[in-house]
Amino acid sequence: AVVSTQSTGRVVQKLGFPAKFTEFKIQNMVGSCDVKFPIRLEGLYAQHGQFSHYEPELFPGLIYRMLRPKIVLLIFVSGKVVLTGAKDRNDINAAFECIYPILKNFKKK
């Protein structure tokens, strides 16, 4: 991320704008994975409604707001999961380790 930011800064400088990156900080990391099985989103929403939001007419995925770590997961019927809002990679790994056993309970048969 730092190297990418530095190269972008060089491009901006070559265009004639002063650019300095003095306080580099990662604000948001995104991860995605496939659990390799379909998920019953209705059942997940019924049992975890306090953490989730599911309106299939508006968006095909279930939005799951995890408290610790503070991550938002987009969970789809296909088994694809997008994890967003992490400050570092360990948060993404911890969130997936927490949600995977829950998703296994809602595996479509």
Side-chain angles (χ1 to χ4, degrees):
V2 174
V3 174
S4 176
T5 303
Q6 288 172 340
S7 64
T8 302
R10 284 190 205 98
V11 170
V12 171
Q13 288 172 342
K14 286 180 182 179
L15 292 171
F17 297 99
K20 288 185 182 179
F21 294 97
T22 56
E23 295 182 30
F24 184 83
K25 183 179 177 185
I26 294 175
Q27 294 291 330
N28 183 26
M29 290 183 76
V30 178
S32 65
C33 64
D34 186 355
V35 294
K36 304 289 187 193
F37 55 81
I39 301 167
R40 292 182 293 116
L41 296 182
E42 295 84 8
L44 179 58
Y45 178 63
Q47 287 193 10
H48 292 264
Q50 69 272 29
F51 303 111
S52 57
H53 182 77
Y54 182 54
E55 291 188 46
E57 302 85 19
L58 300 177
F59 182 69
L62 180 138
I63 301 168
Y64 194 100
R65 296 184 186 279
M66 193 173 281
L67 300 177
R68 282 206 184 108
K70 190 176 178 191
I71 300 283
V72 176
L73 298 94
L74 305 176
I75 304 168
F76 298 91
V77 173
S78 65
K80 302 272 197 279
V81 180
V82 178
L83 303 95
T84 186
K87 297 291 184 189
D88 63 39
R89 190 179 208 159
N90 293 332
D91 289 346
I92 291 175
N93 291 337
F96 183 74
E97 288 175 9
C98 288
I99 200 70
Y100 186 74
I102 295 169
L103 295 179
K104 280 177 59 175
N105 292 333
F106 295 96
K107 182 178 180 178
K108 277 189 178 177
K109 296 179 168 90

